[in-house]
Amino acid sequence: MRARLQPVALLAALFCGLAATAQAAGDAGPEKAAETAPATTGTEKQAPRADRLQPVGDRPLSAPTVDQVDPDRFGKLPDAAYGAFQRGYYLTAHNLALPRAEAGDPAAQTLIAEIYARGLGMARDAKKAAEWYSKAAQQGVPEAQFQYALMLLDGGFVEKNTDRAFELMQVAADNGNRLAQFNLAQMILDRQSSFESRERAVSYYEKAANAGLADAQYAMSQVYANGFGGREADDKVARSWLERAARQNYDTAQLDLGTWMVEGRGGERNAETGFAWLKRAAEGGNIAAQNRLAKLYRAGVGTDPDTIEGAAWYISARRAGLIDPEMEDFLAGLTPEEMKEAIQRANRLR
């Protein structure tokens, strides 16, 4: 789980959530609760996200696919070294890039750092990665600046220096690194809560969002949903940002977009499409979406009523730690036969 700046937790604290005005499930009747798909309450726990930003030392060992490798991340890279890296020949890429890296080539230095940071073709070595990222960062490679800034923030493999990290993050962000733009926005908000700082942070969120970063697109949805950082509240714009993030498989955006479509917030009410987005998030493991989907099945909103399917989805969310008193009462009202069938269906949802 990515733990660098914990963007989801920070955004929740800053913007209070997209559907903060919705009624809690226990405050509405069964049909009303299902129709409004209420906002996450204290009983609904979001599933942990595995695709958030993370420090270099916590990256997964699995190698990137060819489609995930962008040569521009490294700068002007020697063709042979990049070609070997792209094909998964990491040791060869290291050996080809090392002489150039030692001679001061910043792109080769960044590639070497990446190999050590991720343990590609050799043992992971965060200290060596830090050394090479530092050298490349000094020569202006935005990816190296971003990664070394993360290491300076973490302090695990280099001496912690938050001021220098901020400087490097700023440079990388201004050089167009979208992850740096997103993280810089987080750092700005973490440092100061003035109107000017919020306005500045939003400008960097927007840059990262326009560059296609789903985290930032969700952040922009929060900005417009709540009126933040000098932007007027605008549910229509917020919903458009939600949709962009949702289409990138960002499950929290799918959860909120589905809720808004069922409610008719920020645009036309479309219970069927809203149901589909909530189902997609639920199938991806978002437990709040699983609970809301259960309520839609129970009430027949956006789909045909299906008591057993609704119970199955709630059981799945319950197993993950979510407890909803309203849905507990719903389960208590099932017959033993219905409960047995719902458990069997829930087992198949795993």
Side-chain angles (χ1 to χ4, degrees):
M1 183 177 181
R2 299 182 178 180
R4 163 52 43 220
L5 294 176
Q6 299 181 354
V8 173
L10 281 173
L11 287 172
L14 289 164
F15 303 133
C16 305
L18 278 171
T21 58
Q23 287 182 299
D27 296 332
E31 292 75 18
K32 179 65 176 177
E35 288 175 1
T36 58
T40 301
T41 67
T43 62
E44 287 188 351
K45 301 176 183 178
Q46 292 288 346
R49 292 191 56 85
D51 57 345
R52 290 290 184 271
L53 303 180
Q54 59 188 354
V56 172
D58 193 35
R59 283 186 169 183
L61 288 172
S62 58
T65 65
V66 171
D67 290 339
Q68 291 174 315
V69 177
D70 179 2
D72 291 337
R73 292 175 56 229
F74 305 109
K76 295 181 179 179
L77 195 67
D79 289 342
Y82 171 64
F85 184 92
Q86 189 179 39
R87 295 192 301 273
Y89 298 121
Y90 303 115
L91 187 57
T92 299
H94 171 275
N95 293 339
L96 289 171
L98 185 58
R100 295 201 182 197
E102 291 174 337
D105 185 294
Q109 290 170 347
T110 307
L111 180 61
I112 294 291
E114 182 88 354
I115 290 171
Y116 279 123
R118 303 189 66 170
L120 301 174
M122 58 184 64
R124 184 185 301 182
D125 191 328
K127 288 186 177 180
K128 285 186 178 180
E131 292 174 8
W132 287 113
Y133 276 135
S134 176
K135 291 177 180 179
Q138 291 173 25
Q139 297 197 69
V141 178
E143 176 68 15
Q145 292 164 341
F146 167 66
Q147 296 291 357
Y148 193 59
L150 291 181
M151 288 185 150
L152 288 169
L153 284 171
D154 182 66
F157 302 100
V158 297
E159 185 177 354
K160 188 170 184 175
N161 189 331
T162 55
D163 289 336
R164 178 58 178 156
F166 188 90
E167 291 173 4
L168 279 176
M169 199 71 77
Q170 172 84 64
V171 174
D174 290 340
N175 283 332
N177 185 297
R178 64 182 190 172
L179 294 178
Q181 290 164 349
F182 179 79
N183 277 261
L184 180 65
Q186 298 291 112
M187 294 173 75
I188 291 169
L189 291 173
D190 193 42
R191 284 188 162 208
Q192 195 176 9
S193 61
S194 67
F195 176 81
E196 291 75 16
S197 65
R198 292 193 293 270
E199 194 172 35
R200 184 181 173 210
V202 168
S203 73
Y204 280 104
Y205 279 134
E206 189 169 37
K207 290 177 181 178
N210 285 326
L213 186 65
D215 297 75
Q217 291 169 346
Y218 183 75
M220 290 305 298
S221 74
Q222 299 279 273
V223 165
Y224 280 103
N226 294 278
F228 183 86
R231 308 296 175 93
E232 294 291 330
D234 188 327
D235 282 353
K236 184 177 180 180
V237 175
R239 181 160 154 173
S240 70
W241 281 116
L242 273 181
E243 185 170 356
R244 290 174 68 174
R247 291 189 182 282
Q248 293 201 68
N249 210 33
Y250 193 106
D251 66 318
T252 307
Q254 293 168 348
L255 166 70
D256 291 331
L257 179 62
T259 300
W260 281 35
M261 284 187 163
V262 170
E263 294 175 344
R265 182 176 175 182
E268 185 178 348
R269 184 176 186 271
N270 190 326
E272 291 77 15
T273 304
F275 172 88
W277 279 116
L278 284 166
K279 190 169 189 289
R280 184 169 169 178
E283 290 173 342
N286 187 296
I287 63 172
Q290 291 172 353
N291 188 45
R292 296 186 196 186
L293 188 68
K295 293 177 179 179
L296 296 183
Y297 269 119
R298 183 189 62 176
V301 175
T303 187
D304 293 331
D306 192 328
T307 298
I308 303 303
E309 191 71 11
W313 278 108
Y314 176 63
I315 290 169
S316 180
R318 194 173 187 266
R319 286 170 174 170
L322 183 149
I323 301 297
D324 184 324
E326 177 188 336
M327 296 304 288
E328 289 293 302
D329 290 342
F330 167 60
L331 287 187
L334 298 180
T335 66
E337 293 76 16
E338 289 173 330
M339 190 65 178
K340 180 179 178 180
E341 186 179 352
I343 291 172
Q344 290 173 344
R345 287 200 200 179
N347 292 340
R348 292 195 293 270
L349 294 175
R350 291 180 179 179

